[in-house]
Amino acid sequence: MQILIQVKLTIKGMTMQELLYQSALSALRAGELVLKYYGLEEFALKSDSSPVTKADLESNALITQELLANSPYKVCSEEAILDYEERKGLEYYWLIDPLDGTKDFLAKNGGWTINIALIHKQRPILGVVYAPAFHQLFIALKGFGSFTFEIASLKSALKSQTLNALWLEQNKQKLKGDRILQEAQILACDSMFHSTQQTQEFFQKYNLKVQKYGSSLKVCVLAEGKADIYPRFNGTSEWDTAACDIVLEEAGGEMLDCETKKPLEYNKPSVRNHYFIAFAKSQVGGKIYQDFMRG
């Protein structure tokens, strides 16, 4: 699969790894743009009553323009959804959320991200998650690995404008998914704004310690080994999960559909996800995982 992907990308003169770095740079540039609006603007409401900001739209425009310039693949975004009739036959396409966690953005808690994923058939094979307020960057490529970057170094490189693809290659730190928590009690992630009674009952059933995070960071901390499990018993869309899904997968974790007990499926007629549970590498095969698979 990797060879076929790289052959396709010679149209633009890039390998898959180079495309990963270019996508990360697009997310970083979009992050700098969005930070100019952070804490400053009013918001309008989308048709589903969720907030949309000027930052969403400008981030979307920048990322879309750069992805189209760097690859031959179409873009499906939360702000510009590709109709299923147009995307159902696509072997590859970009799936992006130019500002994941708009409520976090408006609440000024920092827990919002920019998500970029490349979908191959029905699974993500490339992912970028960037949290501009925290200067946290996560990248992943199927078969290549999942990586993050030291925050102070990334912040310094951004400030000095020395950050490029070579810098990313030389400074990436592999995420192995190994648990780094000192305590034995399982740590679960929960949403800042979208928790449910079913989620609370799940926490109580397994006596889980809970930490709240915004946007896709709930999944990325599993890939870092800083948390163990993330049950999501509330609605999400494909662009909310695709980028962090491959970040977790390449770090040895799994994000499983509650109905099928299989990895989440993308490029569906409906962009809505089923409920899911994301398991860190250390939890795969454990008691909660086994209960889930038998359920």
Side-chain angles (χ1 to χ4, degrees):
M1 181 189 296
Q2 187 81 3
I3 294 174
L4 291 175
I5 292 169
Q6 292 187 352
V7 167
K8 280 178 173 289
L9 289 175
T10 57
I11 297 171
K12 296 287 184 177
M14 282 191 208
T15 66
M16 200 59 168
Q17 292 176 23
E18 290 169 336
L19 187 62
L20 174 66
Y21 297 140
Q22 290 303 318
S23 303
L25 292 172
S26 294
L28 291 165
R29 283 188 282 268
E32 293 301 293
L33 184 158
V34 172
L35 282 172
K36 295 177 182 178
Y37 295 99
Y38 189 43
L40 298 179
E41 67 174 319
E42 297 297 323
F43 64 90
L45 293 178
K46 302 179 187 179
S47 58
D48 64 356
S49 295
S50 60
V52 62
T53 68
K54 189 175 181 181
D56 289 84
L57 301 177
E58 292 195 12
S59 175
N60 183 71
L62 184 153
I63 294 170
T64 298
Q65 180 180 6
E66 295 196 0
L67 293 179
L68 292 175
N70 290 334
S71 76
Y73 309 129
K74 293 185 177 181
V75 177
C76 179
S77 165
E78 180 182 15
E79 306 304 336
I81 303 171
L82 272 183
D83 185 84
Y84 182 63
E85 289 303 311
E86 187 174 359
R87 62 181 161 81
K88 68 179 181 180
L90 297 177
E91 187 175 4
Y92 300 91
Y93 70 95
W94 294 104
L95 182 60
I96 69 173
D97 190 339
L99 206 169
D100 180 26
T102 312
K103 290 183 178 179
D104 297 282
F105 181 82
L106 296 169
K108 306 174 190 176
N109 64 30
W112 46 279
T113 59
I114 293 167
N115 303 336
I116 301 175
L118 181 63
I119 305 299
H120 176 230
K121 297 183 178 176
Q122 293 184 303
R123 286 289 298 161
I125 59 167
L126 177 157
V128 175
V129 176
Y130 180 47
F134 298 146
H135 293 95
Q136 287 182 293
L137 175 64
F138 302 89
I139 64 174
L141 178 64
K142 188 168 182 63
F144 180 56
S146 184
F147 306 89
T148 191
F149 299 83
E150 201 274 323
I151 292 172
S153 297
L154 182 66
K155 188 174 181 179
S156 176
L158 281 168
K159 186 175 181 180
S160 63
Q161 298 185 333
T162 58
L163 205 155
N164 54 29
L166 180 60
W167 188 96
L168 293 172
E169 166 63 26
Q170 294 177 340
N171 289 273
K172 67 182 187 297
Q173 299 176 353
K174 190 172 182 63
L175 293 173
K176 299 179 181 179
D178 297 325
R179 194 174 195 266
I180 61 175
L181 296 168
Q182 297 302 310
E183 57 188 298
Q185 187 177 13
I186 296 174
L187 178 61
C189 296
D190 194 14
S191 172
M192 291 281 194
F193 296 100
H194 305 287
S195 191
T196 65
Q197 181 61 36
Q198 184 180 356
T199 306
Q200 297 306 312
E201 291 170 358
F202 181 90
F203 295 152
Q204 292 170 8
K205 177 181 179 180
Y206 290 105
N207 187 33
L208 305 182
K209 183 177 179 180
V210 179
Q211 177 69 51
K212 290 182 176 289
Y213 292 91
S215 63
S216 341
L217 293 174
K218 295 183 287 290
V219 176
C220 292
V221 294
L222 301 183
E224 290 184 287
K226 294 179 179 179
D228 299 302
I229 194 167
Y230 168 42
R232 181 62 186 234
F233 306 142
N234 197 357
T236 58
S237 296
E238 292 184 0
W239 47 72
D240 296 318
T241 58
C244 60
D245 192 339
I246 185 66
V247 169
L248 179 61
E249 181 180 71
E250 284 296 307
E254 296 182 12
M255 187 182 294
L256 300 179
D257 186 312
C258 288
E259 294 186 20
T260 67
K261 314 296 184 181
K262 296 179 180 179
L264 292 180
E265 187 175 283
Y266 297 84
N267 201 10
K268 306 184 301 296
S270 168
V271 297
R272 299 298 284 171
N273 292 323
H274 293 156
Y275 294 172
F276 64 84
I277 299 181
F279 296 91
K281 177 182 177 181
S282 63
Q283 291 301 307
V284 174
K287 173 177 171 42
I288 301 177
Y289 184 93
Q290 292 180 33
D291 286 353
F292 171 80
M293 297 302 286
R294 285 194 297 262

